Amino acid sequence: MMELEIELKKASDTLKAWDTTSISLTAGCDLFMRYVTRTSALEFEDFNSAKSRVLGRAEKFGEISNKARKIIAMLIQDFIFDGCTILVHGFSRVVFEILKTAAQNKKLFRVLCTEGSPDKTGVLLAKELAKLDVPVKLLIDSAVAYCMEEVDMVFVGADGVVESGGVINMMGTYQIAIAAHSMNKPVYVAAESYKFARLYPLDQKDLEPALRPIDFGVPVPPKVEVERSARDYTPPQFLTLLFTDLGVLTPSVVSDELIQLYS
Amino acid sequence: MESRRNPRAVVDPKVRQVGFFTSSQPDSTHQPDPIASESHPVVSSISPSGNSLSPVMIPPPRHNSSDTFPLRAAAASAVSPSSFSYSTRRDFPDGSTTAASPGRVSRGSFSKPSSSLPGVGMDAMAAAKSSSVPASGLNTVSVVNMPPEKESDQKKNSKPLKEKTTKAERRALQEAQRAAKAAANAEGGKAPLVSSGSVASTNIKATKPAKPSSQKNDVAVAAGPSEKKAGGQSEKDRKKDAPHPRMQYDDESRVVKAKRRAVVKQTEAKYRVELFRHLPQYEHGTQLPDLQTKFFQLDPMHPAVYKVGLQYLSGDISGGNARCIAMLQAFQEVVRDYSTPPEKTLNRDMTAKISSYVSFLIECRPLSVSMGNAIRFVKNRIAKLPITLSESEAKAALQSDIERFINEKIITADTVIVKHAVTKIRDGDVLLTYGSPTAVEMVLLHAHELGKKFRVLVVDSRPKLEGQLLLRRLIKRGINCTYTHINAISYIMHEVTKVFLGASSVLSNGTVYSRVGTACVAMVASAFRVPVLVCCEAYKLHERVQLDSICSNELGDPNAISKVHGREDINYLDGLTNNANLQFLNLMFDATPSDYISMIITDYGMVPPTSVPVIVREYQKEHSLV
């Protein structure tokens, strides 16, 4: 049994090592390990039943993760009222699921999509939404504060949810959250519970750097540096609510969950 | 603690009245008038020159100092609603110091201190009851025998104050009867704490309060309240020496009783700040020599505990962890040398003993929250000992439990905290720290060992100047340091990248209760958007909530402020502590609101200040299972 746990740990470490910058991968692996190896009854049974128990829990974990998006979409439907304007940033599949469900429920709303440069992920999202007949408007990232007054709420996904209740997400989330907060617009984060990570960044530089190439369209002049970080950290005071498969949470509950999970 | 907030009218005309007060209601008579007036019967004068009653506070019944004991006891008990129980309890040890005759003091006081440990209002009740019991120094005996009565009494008493006051006379009668009974019991029983043999009613009363407190302790009350109780007791003590501004928890009789029971002869400071009357303040310099001479006389007191008490009093041991470890090691020795007296159960007797020792330690210096938690743990373990264990097994189990607590909760916890905290230190950081927190020192030293490049800014303040100790230790290891005083904090904050602070305790609403000055540092750091990290072991977390630094605090020696050592040219205030127009306020702790704290590093990990109740909950769960 211990051997199996060691094997699992090795596999998990290998996975994590493949992409050290991905927080959700690390968090997911850690949570999976804890979830699966938690049962103390594993000690007492013979190996085969223990193994099937572990397998059962692993499958359950997978199911929960798959269903998480649907659960989150269900929870957030009440927050989308007819005639509202939603600002989204980046292409988060959870957020897309939410908007798809809302459209299927025949809600009338419109979406403002940031461009999400340099990846142009926002354009992709806009394309998908247009297919669903949802009114979409594309903005460049700099136009967020300009449009904030007509926005009713902001939806973002998360790469990881940290212990303070803040989120790590695609670059640009932080400034959108600041603009929304200063204009009293709620910021809703949609994240599955396996993204809860035991990190606690104090500032932007406290994160593991995740760099990506940025193409400005024109060659970068010599002796000019480029800020290539791909994500930023949004502190919890700018976030209103977290929508997870565990329910609708306030940012301070994340630490509660993490302490319980890891103690 | 409403009584705290409302300054009472002070009988002493010299004392300035701060705060709101209604028209004074002279009440120099015996009649208990809980609602109408609040006054502290002063030994010397009864005339209420400015007795005022805070409309919020339910005042204790007023009694003349010449009141009979039972009446006083009644009044005393009446005074202690549950919120005041703390103070009442503490009062006992303190109050009895000076009042009682020397012979009685030492013995009697022991019993009292033990019993007067924190407990909810019940103790006050019990105290009242006990007062009527003739005490022949049988603290333990009375404790064992009386609990049932006390409990019921306490419950009754902890009901509205009004009830008590109205029942005062009945209580007096009851107490007298109980005293008689206790005397009879005392004769027959064995008391680990030998009383001086003087069957003074005060002693008896003292024992009574002692009992409730020990009972209370069994109820596992946090030590936090004991601080307040001590405050109340000192109040009483003060009454002896100076006009008592107000009797927060109890009336004079309690103070007297507490004083007689107390081991440490404390003389209360004469001129105190109105707002902090609820906290004890003594004349420093008189306690230590007196205690030292008593070293070989104090039979019931274990020498190890006595030594620790002396060290607290003199300031040799200071700092939450050090005090806690010293106390627990003293308790280990107590357990080791303990032998159950015949016809007593180990659990109850040991608990009573521990309670008496804790009372003594409170007299020397009010408990910190962490010490309170540790005491609660020890009592919990004692109570959970299976009856079937033999004495030596039980003692061994207890000793190993205490050892495990020290190792797990303090020493290992510190290493875990260090491990978490060093991940937050980056090359090029400028770290600011205030005072001399042990946890932060370990973090800085370990980060330096790991080869991180950073420099440290040590901020210090009078009168303790603890930062200098930290500075020395850091420099010895070769860390690049800067030293400044707290008045320059806004000047240097712009170059600081992180602030590391220690804590005496972190409360449930995220408030950090720490050395005075910490709040300033945290607020300035927050204004400059510098992250503030508090390093605190989990055993120091408490479920209590505190909104400001006034309701619970500790007052230090005013002479420490007035005298500037080595600088005769600016030593203007030296010797002015006895001036009626000048009151010195030497606060030891302050409360930092949670908004200014970025993160708390405990052995449970790095958590936001909002998660403290979660950790308290987990911690208690862990302990109840153990």
Side-chain angles (χ1 to χ4, degrees):
Chain A
M1 211 49 234
M2 285 309 303
E3 180 85 23
L4 177 60
E5 282 187 31
I6 296 174
E7 287 292 319
L8 275 174
K9 182 113 197 349
K10 267 203 267 184
S12 158
D13 288 339
T14 319
L15 255 182
K16 282 197 261 185
W18 175 76
D19 183 2
T20 49
T21 64
S22 170
I23 297 179
S24 46
L25 179 62
T26 314
C29 285
D30 283 339
L31 281 170
F32 177 81
M33 287 297 298
R34 287 206 66 91
Y35 189 81
V36 157
T37 58
R38 213 176 188 191
T39 51
S40 55
L42 286 171
E43 315 287 0
F44 295 94
E45 303 174 15
D46 72 304
F47 182 72
N48 282 327
S49 49
K51 180 171 161 190
S52 53
R53 166 97 47 108
V54 173
L55 276 173
R57 290 183 75 91
E59 276 176 27
K60 201 147 155 266
F61 189 82
E63 259 178 55
I64 293 177
S65 314
N66 275 334
K67 281 213 226 113
R69 282 195 213 139
K70 299 240 169 15
I71 298 174
I72 294 173
M74 291 287 302
L75 285 171
I76 211 170
Q77 291 311 305
D78 286 335
F79 286 75
I80 303 177
F81 53 88
D82 277 339
C84 68
T85 305
I86 303 177
L87 176 70
V88 294
H89 180 65
F91 194 156
S92 160
R93 276 166 295 188
V94 187
V95 176
F96 181 60
E97 182 77 30
I98 293 170
L99 298 175
K100 196 162 87 165
T101 318
Q104 282 163 357
N105 290 343
K106 303 279 184 287
K107 293 219 181 194
L108 300 171
F109 60 96
R110 85 189 170 99
V111 177
L112 300 181
C113 257
T114 58
E115 177 199 10
S117 76
D119 305 340
K120 304 284 189 284
T121 48
V123 185
L124 280 172
L125 178 61
K127 196 166 80 169
E128 297 296 323
L129 284 173
K131 279 194 214 156
L132 297 169
D133 284 332
V134 175
V136 185
K137 184 149 122 177
L138 260 182
L139 340 149
I140 53 171
D141 293 336
S142 344
V144 165
Y146 175 81
C147 294
M148 191 55 80
E149 47 193 35
E150 61 188 45
V151 163
D152 289 312
M153 60 187 88
V154 180
F155 280 6
V156 291
D159 275 354
V161 179
V162 295
E163 193 138 12
S164 58
V167 292
I168 299 177
N169 199 19
M170 176 174 160
M171 179 65 80
T173 312
Y174 187 21
Q175 63 197 30
I176 294 180
I178 293 178
H181 181 78
S182 71
M183 297 205 217
N184 283 325
K185 309 287 180 189
V187 177
Y188 298 136
V189 176
E192 299 95 321
S193 64
Y194 63 79
K195 288 182 178 163
F196 286 11
R198 288 224 92 176
L199 298 167
Y200 202 133
L202 289 174
D203 50 34
Q204 302 304 319
K205 304 291 181 291
D206 232 353
L207 307 170
E208 288 294 323
L211 306 174
R212 55 150 177 219
I214 299 199
D215 178 23
F216 286 105
V218 293
V220 178
K223 289 202 274 184
V224 170
E225 273 183 57
V226 177
E227 174 61 62
R228 290 188 296 131
S229 184
R231 55 188 186 203
D232 60 21
Y233 163 66
T234 307
Q237 55 258 37
F238 300 108
L239 305 174
T240 320
L241 286 175
L242 260 68
F243 290 86
T244 72
D245 43 301
L246 301 171
V248 182
L249 312 172
T250 57
S252 33
V253 176
V254 177
S255 179
D256 192 341
E257 288 295 326
L258 280 170
I259 291 176
Q260 289 190 332
L261 269 175
Y262 281 95
S263 68
Chain B
M1 316 281 185
E2 57 271 32
S3 56
R4 273 192 321 244
R5 293 319 219 127
N6 307 307
R8 311 298 187 88
V10 180
V11 176
D12 173 17
K14 293 190 216 165
V15 180
R16 193 169 47 95
Q17 294 171 17
V18 172
F20 26 159
F21 49 92
T22 58
S23 57
S24 63
Q25 301 171 25
D27 182 9
S28 44
T29 61
H30 302 242
Q31 76 266 23
D33 190 353
I35 320 269
S37 66
E38 146 294 336
S39 71
H40 313 285
V42 179
V43 184
S44 48
S45 84
I46 305 291
S47 63
S49 52
N51 282 348
S52 58
L53 180 57
S54 90
V56 180
M57 170 76 168
I58 302 177
R62 312 242 258 96
H63 299 271
N64 262 340
S65 46
S66 52
D67 273 359
T68 60
F69 273 115
L71 208 48
R72 246 186 289 176
S77 46
V79 184
S80 56
S82 34
S83 59
F84 302 147
S85 55
Y86 303 148
S87 51
T88 339
R89 231 163 308 184
R90 295 238 282 207
D91 288 342
F92 300 133
D94 300 333
S96 43
T97 316
T98 50
S101 59
R104 280 186 300 183
V105 173
S106 24
R107 315 313 162 78
S109 53
F110 282 119
S111 46
K112 314 273 168 58
S114 48
S115 51
S116 51
L117 266 186
V120 186
M122 310 272 233
D123 284 0
M125 299 296 124
K129 293 194 197 217
S130 52
S131 49
S132 52
V133 177
S136 36
L138 325 149
N139 305 320
T140 7
V141 176
S142 44
V143 176
V144 173
N145 296 335
M146 302 312 237
E149 306 166 72
K150 285 216 174 90
E151 298 285 6
S152 50
D153 282 325
Q154 291 168 358
K155 273 154 196 136
K156 269 196 301 177
N157 293 333
S158 31
K159 291 312 191 272
L161 207 46
K162 272 190 219 184
E163 280 182 35
K164 296 177 206 165
T165 50
T166 54
K167 288 194 218 156
E169 320 225 78
R170 274 179 275 151
R171 177 131 325 126
L173 273 178
Q174 285 177 346
E175 281 159 11
Q177 287 164 3
R178 223 165 272 130
K181 228 205 304 188
N185 289 335
E187 322 271 335
K190 303 139 255 206
L193 304 180
V194 180
S195 75
S196 48
S198 51
V199 185
S201 46
T202 43
N203 272 352
I204 297 174
K205 289 192 186 140
T207 33
K208 281 267 185 171
K211 283 194 259 181
S213 47
S214 45
Q215 288 167 3
K216 287 291 158 68
N217 294 327
D218 292 338
V219 180
V221 176
S226 60
E227 293 182 46
K228 295 167 201 144
K229 285 182 267 201
Q233 283 165 340
S234 53
E235 298 255 344
K236 300 190 194 146
D237 292 343
R238 284 184 30 229
K239 279 187 100 171
K240 297 258 159 203
D241 303 330
H244 204 295
R246 76 181 196 173
M247 176 79 73
Q248 181 175 5
Y249 310 98
D250 225 333
D251 65 331
E252 185 180 86
S253 57
R254 280 209 167 175
V255 181
V256 171
K257 273 184 280 183
K259 265 197 146 155
R260 284 202 210 100
R261 281 192 302 270
V263 184
V264 186
K265 269 198 182 14
Q266 316 256 37
T267 56
E268 292 175 12
K270 282 180 92 171
Y271 306 112
R272 296 160 51 142
V273 178
E274 184 71 29
L275 196 57
F276 290 94
R277 297 259 182 195
H278 56 283
L279 301 173
Q281 177 151 30
Y282 301 112
E283 302 272 345
H284 284 241
T286 55
Q287 304 146 330
L288 201 50
D290 180 61
L291 253 190
Q292 283 168 338
T293 56
K294 283 207 225 151
F295 186 82
F296 295 105
Q297 301 168 15
L298 295 174
D299 227 348
M301 184 64 61
H302 194 278
V305 176
Y306 197 71
K307 186 172 98 171
V308 167
L310 284 179
Q311 284 173 323
Y312 285 176
L313 205 49
S314 62
D316 279 347
I317 297 186
S318 90
N321 283 346
R323 284 168 72 191
C324 196
I325 292 181
M327 180 186 74
L328 286 176
Q329 284 173 340
F331 282 168
Q332 269 187 313
E333 286 196 40
V334 167
V335 169
R336 197 191 59 212
D337 297 340
Y338 176 77
S339 57
T340 323
E343 288 175 41
K344 289 235 185 83
T345 59
L346 178 121
N347 301 29
R348 295 227 200 119
D349 188 50
M350 176 89 77
T351 310
K353 263 205 138 128
I354 299 278
S355 306
S356 72
Y357 296 154
V358 174
S359 307
F360 168 69
L361 291 178
I362 292 176
E363 284 171 35
C364 297
R365 191 173 161 192
L367 291 183
S368 64
V369 177
S370 53
M371 288 167 69
N373 285 346
I375 292 170
R376 205 172 14 165
F377 166 79
V378 170
K379 291 206 174 154
N380 210 352
R381 300 311 303 153
I382 298 178
K384 287 226 175 90
L385 283 174
I387 311 280
T388 51
L389 283 185
S390 77
E391 182 178 313
S392 54
E393 283 173 11
K395 279 163 56 168
L398 260 183
Q399 280 185 282
S400 76
D401 274 343
I402 296 181
E403 188 67 36
R404 198 162 49 89
F405 183 89
I406 295 180
N407 278 329
E408 271 180 32
K409 301 293 172 198
I410 306 181
I411 299 180
T412 310
D414 274 340
T415 49
V416 174
I417 290 176
V418 166
K419 193 170 62 102
H420 284 297
V422 291
T423 60
K424 289 296 168 203
I425 301 181
R426 294 200 290 258
D427 283 348
D429 261 346
V430 178
L431 307 174
L432 186 142
T433 183
Y434 175 74
S436 172
T438 43
V440 174
E441 183 184 331
M442 290 172 67
V443 168
L444 294 174
L445 293 176
H446 188 67
H448 186 69
E449 275 170 38
L450 290 179
K452 303 212 179 196
K453 309 256 175 301
F454 59 93
R455 64 184 182 91
V456 177
L457 244 154
V458 179
V459 177
D460 204 1
S461 76
R462 279 197 72 234
K464 288 199 124 188
L465 290 176
E466 293 171 317
Q468 291 181 349
L469 299 166
L470 175 65
L471 189 67
R472 246 180 235 284
R473 292 193 281 257
L474 292 180
I475 289 182
K476 251 196 245 173
R477 300 292 201 94
I479 299 180
N480 193 350
C481 295
T482 310
Y483 176 81
T484 180
H485 277 213
I486 196 169
N487 39 14
I489 191 107
S490 53
Y491 174 77
I492 43 144
M493 191 54 81
H494 71 273
E495 53 187 51
V496 175
T497 56
K498 292 194 181 71
V499 175
F500 277 90
L501 298 173
S504 170
S505 161
V506 181
L507 308 171
S508 270
N509 58 344
T511 306
V512 173
Y513 186 73
S514 177
R515 176 70 69 221
V516 67
T518 310
C520 271
V521 172
M523 288 182 209
V524 173
S526 168
F528 279 79
R529 298 265 180 272
V530 175
V532 175
L533 290 74
V534 173
C535 301
C536 175
E537 296 85 355
Y539 83 100
K540 286 181 178 168
L541 303 185
H542 200 273
E543 67 225 356
R544 186 175 104 193
V545 168
Q546 197 169 323
L547 300 177
D548 56 39
S549 314
I550 301 175
C551 56
S552 173
N553 210 318
E554 190 185 327
L555 295 178
D557 182 10
N559 286 314
I561 308 183
S562 59
K563 189 166 171 56
V564 181
H565 290 279
R567 289 289 305 273
E568 296 307 318
D569 51 333
I570 54 171
N571 208 0
Y572 304 115
L573 297 177
D574 194 14
L576 280 186
T577 36
N578 287 324
N579 190 318
N581 291 323
L582 183 57
Q583 294 129 29
F584 286 90
L585 182 62
N586 185 3
L587 285 177
M588 306 287 282
F589 294 103
D590 67 16
T592 309
S594 60
D595 318 330
Y596 305 115
I597 311 286
S598 312
M599 157 196 318
I600 301 183
I601 309 179
T602 72
D603 39 322
Y604 281 75
M606 299 186 278
V607 294
T610 47
S611 292
V612 172
V614 177
I615 296 188
V616 171
R617 187 183 76 213
E618 296 291 316
Y619 188 82
Q620 284 178 347
K621 238 193 280 178
E622 195 184 297
H623 271 256
S624 60
L625 292 174
V626 166

